[in-house]
Each structure stands twice: as structure tokens, then as C-alpha cells.
Amino acid sequence: MNTKEIEELLEKYYEGETSLAEENSLKEFFSGDDIPGHLLVHKPLFRFLKEEATKSMNEESQEASLTRHIEKYRAETSIVKTHPGRKRLFYLSGMAATLLILFSLVFVIRNEVGRRNHNRDVNSSTELAYAQTKQALLFVSVGLNTGLDAVRHFKTLDNAMGQIQKINKFYDYQTQFINPEWIKDPSINK
Amino acid sequence: MNLQDFNTKVYPLKDKIFRFARRMLDQTEEAEDLVQEVFIRMWKIREKLDEYRSLEALAMITTKNLCLDKLKAKKFPLESFNDQRWYIETIAEETLPDHSDFVLGVKEAMNTLPEQSRMIVHLRDIEGYEFGEIAEIMDMQENAIRVALSRARKRIREILINSKKYEYQRN
């Protein structure tokens, strides 16, 4: 292929009008050694394009990548595996809580009913109730009497308070004759 | 489709998928992981694979979409902050103060293209697909692909000629 044809092909190439076959012949031309000086600018491009098409994936790194993927997949699935166990535990604890509430309710109700029945028995026997009330009132009465013994001392205090009352009256009487201004103003003493 | 069919029909596409992914992500390890991801997606729909006209187009479309998702996720500042690539770039900038000294190669020139143009150039100039196939993969009209391809090729030429000039000036 002569230089002129190559120049024409290059022109078409940059306009995006070449066919695949024409592009291949350009690649072939530039991978040879016989390239005129003014076309050398295009050499790296076509060499690169041709070489890049032969690059393949490294087998070793491919395995490494696959292992990475499998590990990732395993990590994801292991999370899924633990899930049903957790769910069962969740339902079981729910059932246990319900049973606990039910049993405690039954227990409380039975206790309450038993206590009411007991109270009703006491009320029904009037004599027993009377005796019990009497006993309680007697207990209060005895307690009150002991309390009153201690209160007797207050009488002495009351007498003393009467004495103090007299002193107060004396102060009131005194203020009628003494002008409080005299005490406040020091110039009057002079 | 059983495992044997999958191995003979889908698995051989691995290099094409890998090259496409690496062109877009510019990172070998990420591209390798993406190949596995594409295979997993294809395997999940293995029952329906016979209904597709072209498995290769399907694989390339899946690759394209996964790559675009990955690139979109990278654009968030928080993620790119932790990104290894970001780290390497900063290191490179710090240790190479005379950054302009670096002459752009073809690969770097291609990386400067917008995502769509880069895909089109890769599919046509490296993988050698017909315009009809590229139109299917890119979900675009053939004419629009021709226009984008021409524009992208000219852009690469411009960058290469400029860096060449720069090289000459320095020597």
C-alpha cells in the first residue's frame, strides 16, 4: 500500500468513514517499519489500538477475583442462615411472655377472690365483729390515757407563760412615756 | 442454558469484557471484579439467555451499565476521598512537581475523553465492532455514533500531536 493511499485512508478514518477492513489495513501498515517521517505521528495510536485488542485477563488474578467474590457471597449467605434461628427465638420469647402474663393473671385473680371470701366470713358473724371492734377501741383508749399523762406537764408551762405576759404589759406601758426618737438620734444626748 | 453451554458461549467473552471494563475504570483489579459481576448477572438469568439474539451484545451492555454505575459512585467526594486512585494521584503530584513534563500517551489521551466517546472508540477501534453492533450496545443511532467517533478520533489526534510538539520543543 503506497503512501498516498494511506493518507487518504487516514483522512477517512478521522471522519469516521472507514470500514473495519480499512481500519485493519491501517493498523497493519503502522505496525510495519516502513513508515514515512510525516506519518510517524500516527504510529503510536495504531500500534496501541492493535496491541490493546490482544490483552487478556490474567488467569491468576481471575482466580483471586473469583475467590473474593465467593468470600463475599459466603459472607452474605451466612447472615441469611442465622436469620431463621433468630426468628424462632423471637416467636418463642413472645409465647413465653404471653404464658407468663396469663399465669400471673390467674394467680392474682384467685388470690383476690380468696381474700374477699375470707372477709365475708368475718362480717357474717356479728359477735366476732363486735368483740374485735371493742378490743380495738379499748386499745386506742389505753393509749390515749398514757398520752394524756405526758400532756399534764403543759400546765406548768402555761403558768410560766402567764408571768411572761406581765413583763410584756410593762414594756407596752413604758413606751407610752419614752419617745423612741431619743434613742435613735445621738445629737439629743449632747 | 446449562453450565456447559455457559462455559462455551458466555465464558469466552471474558477478555472482551475485561478490556472494556479496564478502559472505563482504568484499574485492573476493579475490572477483574467487574468481569465476575457480569458473569454472575448472566448466570442468574441463564434460563432466559436463549431468548437473546446476541449474548455478546448483552454482555457488553451489562458491562457498560455496571461501569457507568461504578463511575457514578466514584464521583461522590467522600468515596473518592478514600479511593486508592485518589491517593496515588496526590502522591504523584507531590513527588513530581514538574507534572507537565509527563508526555501524554495514547492511553492517557483516551482517558481524557468523556465516558460515552471513550466507549465508542474502544468498541470500534480496539474491539472492531460494526456500527450496528455499537448502536445496539450504546443504545444510540448509528449516525450519532459515527459523529461521536469522528470527533473522539480527532480529539485523540490533537492531544497526541500537541504532546509530540511539546516533546520536540523540550529536546
Side-chain angles (χ1 to χ4, degrees):
Chain A
M1 202 175 277
N2 65 41
T3 313
K4 205 167 177 252
E5 277 175 314
I6 292 297
E7 278 168 8
E8 275 169 17
L9 272 185
L10 273 173
E11 196 61 41
K12 272 176 81 184
Y13 171 80
Y14 284 110
E15 293 306 321
E17 287 162 0
T18 38
S19 68
L20 282 175
E22 286 168 329
E23 281 161 22
N24 277 334
S25 55
L26 274 174
K27 283 178 193 168
E28 279 307 311
F29 174 78
F30 280 104
S31 58
D33 294 322
D34 219 14
I35 303 158
H38 68 289
L39 292 177
L40 273 173
V41 191
H42 305 284
K43 193 177 117 181
L45 174 65
F46 288 101
R47 288 221 162 160
F48 176 84
L49 295 177
K50 200 182 171 193
E51 275 170 27
E52 279 296 290
T54 61
K55 295 258 167 80
S56 64
M57 202 169 152
N58 188 351
E59 291 291 331
E60 239 171 78
S61 62
Q62 196 184 332
E63 266 173 38
S65 167
L66 195 64
T67 323
R68 277 201 295 278
H69 262 84
I70 290 168
E71 288 300 319
K72 212 173 104 189
Y73 180 74
R74 272 208 191 128
E76 277 169 12
T77 45
S78 67
I79 292 166
V80 175
K81 261 187 185 171
T82 60
H83 209 71
R86 275 192 193 176
K87 239 181 184 173
R88 202 178 297 152
L89 192 72
F90 178 78
Y91 284 124
L92 266 175
S93 55
M95 272 150 78
T98 319
L99 281 177
L100 192 72
I101 289 169
L102 264 170
F103 277 127
S104 47
L105 258 175
V106 166
F107 183 73
V108 164
I109 287 169
R110 273 179 63 173
N111 241 13
E112 187 69 22
V113 166
R115 215 154 51 110
R116 280 197 186 163
N117 287 345
H118 184 68
N119 283 352
R120 198 171 294 150
D121 285 345
V122 173
N123 288 338
S124 62
S125 86
T126 333
E127 268 174 53
L128 188 68
Y130 175 70
Q132 269 181 347
T133 316
K134 200 177 166 186
Q135 202 184 355
L137 284 176
L138 206 66
F139 177 75
V140 171
S141 163
V142 168
L144 195 66
N145 282 340
T146 0
L148 278 175
D149 282 345
V151 172
R152 228 169 265 146
H153 292 290
F154 274 98
K155 227 168 201 178
T156 337
L157 186 70
D158 217 29
N159 286 342
M161 286 303 273
Q163 299 290 327
I164 290 166
Q165 206 72 27
K166 279 179 190 166
I167 295 168
N168 269 349
K169 268 183 188 165
F170 171 71
Y171 272 122
D172 290 342
Y173 186 68
Q174 205 177 27
T175 44
Q176 283 176 1
F177 298 97
I178 297 167
N179 189 344
E181 290 294 311
W182 298 344
I183 301 160
K184 270 186 190 167
D185 196 350
S187 64
I188 286 173
N189 281 350
K190 279 177 188 174
Chain B
M1 181 177 275
N2 57 29
L3 185 61
Q4 207 164 6
D5 283 345
F6 197 83
N7 273 340
T8 52
K9 286 178 188 164
V10 182
Y11 188 70
L13 297 171
K14 73 178 164 75
D15 288 334
K16 280 189 181 181
I17 299 168
F18 172 67
R19 287 194 291 261
F20 194 23
R22 200 176 54 170
R23 171 81 42 239
M24 298 315 295
L25 302 173
D26 198 25
Q27 263 206 335
T28 309
E29 197 168 292
E30 274 184 42
E32 284 162 358
D33 283 358
L34 203 127
V35 174
Q36 306 295 340
E37 196 72 42
V38 172
F39 281 152
I40 289 171
R41 297 237 171 159
M42 303 270 286
W43 179 251
K44 275 180 184 165
I45 54 162
R46 61 187 174 277
E47 303 297 329
K48 294 176 200 158
L49 281 183
D50 294 323
E51 295 165 21
Y52 286 93
R53 195 165 43 81
S54 161
L55 286 177
E56 191 166 335
L58 176 69
M60 293 312 254
I61 290 168
T62 314
T63 313
K64 177 194 83 173
N65 291 337
L66 283 173
C67 281
L68 289 178
D69 286 351
K70 272 241 161 89
L71 289 169
K72 205 185 263 176
K74 269 190 187 177
K75 276 178 187 160
F76 286 108
L78 256 180
E79 213 161 296
S80 64
F81 192 77
N82 293 325
D83 198 13
Q84 207 182 353
R85 210 165 108 198
W86 177 85
Y87 180 72
I88 290 165
E89 272 169 13
T90 353
I91 295 287
E93 267 171 39
E94 279 167 1
T95 51
L96 298 168
D98 200 359
H99 199 62
S100 54
D101 216 24
F102 185 61
V103 180
L104 288 177
V106 182
K107 188 182 148 205
E108 287 75 18
M110 275 186 85
N111 283 349
T112 64
L113 294 173
E115 285 155 14
Q116 196 187 56
S117 326
R118 211 189 319 165
M119 283 179 174
I120 293 171
V121 171
H122 178 86
L123 292 174
R124 176 70 184 187
D125 284 350
I126 292 171
E127 300 299 348
Y129 281 111
E130 292 288 350
F131 282 112
E133 291 169 310
I134 300 173
E136 192 184 345
I137 294 168
M138 298 301 295
D139 194 20
M140 282 165 75
Q141 296 291 316
E142 271 185 50
N143 260 342
I145 287 186
R146 273 175 209 275
V147 171
L149 182 67
S150 159
R151 203 173 289 157
R153 281 170 174 174
K154 283 175 181 165
R155 173 95 185 112
I156 293 172
R157 177 178 61 179
E158 193 185 329
I159 291 169
L160 289 177
I161 287 172
N162 281 344
S163 69
K164 205 80 187 162
K165 270 186 199 158
Y166 189 78
E167 207 177 27
Y168 285 143
Q169 278 169 6
R170 284 191 68 86
N171 288 342

